[in-house]
Amino acid sequence: MAVTCLLRYEVRAEHLADFETYGRRWITLVGRFGGEHHGYFLPSEGASDVAYALFTFPSLTAYEAYREQSALDPVCQKLFEQLPAYVTRYDRTFLRPVFDGQEP
């Protein structure tokens, strides 16, 4: 069963452009590790410090493999190190996606 990860970030306003660059890099990396990234969603109207990201893996096992592999990848390690400069906190929620035409 597929699993979608929803990330909610509280972004430092002065680093919003840096965070956007950070997100663009992760979109490619998630795909490289077998996931499908649905994009980053940055503040536009309303709260000016909240951003979201969504990506899906075919299973929780595939997501866990991605976490293990990305922790060892030098490009990912560099991005992990940069994140605290851009955000004050982030939360991860796992969801079960339902897509049109998909049967349980």
Side-chain angles (χ1 to χ4, degrees):
M1 178 179 305
V3 63
T4 296
C5 183
L6 166 66
L7 290 161
R8 180 188 182 277
Y9 299 92
E10 291 178 11
V11 182
R12 298 177 198 277
E14 67 273 18
H15 287 289
L16 189 56
D18 297 321
F19 182 75
E20 182 173 348
T21 299
Y22 167 90
R24 289 181 188 280
R25 291 183 180 141
W26 270 114
I27 290 169
T28 301
L29 290 168
V30 166
R32 191 175 89 194
F33 289 106
E36 179 183 356
H37 210 294
H38 307 294
Y40 277 77
F41 301 86
L42 304 180
S44 177
E45 299 289 330
S48 63
D49 67 340
V50 177
Y52 298 93
L54 285 159
F55 54 89
T56 300
F57 277 86
S59 66
L60 187 56
T61 302
Y63 170 79
E64 290 169 349
Y66 148 75
R67 292 285 294 169
E68 290 174 9
Q69 294 167 1
S70 66
L72 300 173
D73 183 273
V75 174
C76 296
Q77 287 175 350
K78 187 171 183 173
L79 289 171
F80 287 136
E81 291 170 5
Q82 293 172 354
L83 187 60
Y86 307 150
V87 303
T88 57
R89 67 174 283 174
Y90 68 95
D91 300 303
R92 194 179 287 126
T93 301
F94 295 96
L95 306 165
R96 181 178 52 87
V98 176
F99 297 112
D100 186 34
Q102 181 185 39
E103 294 296 323

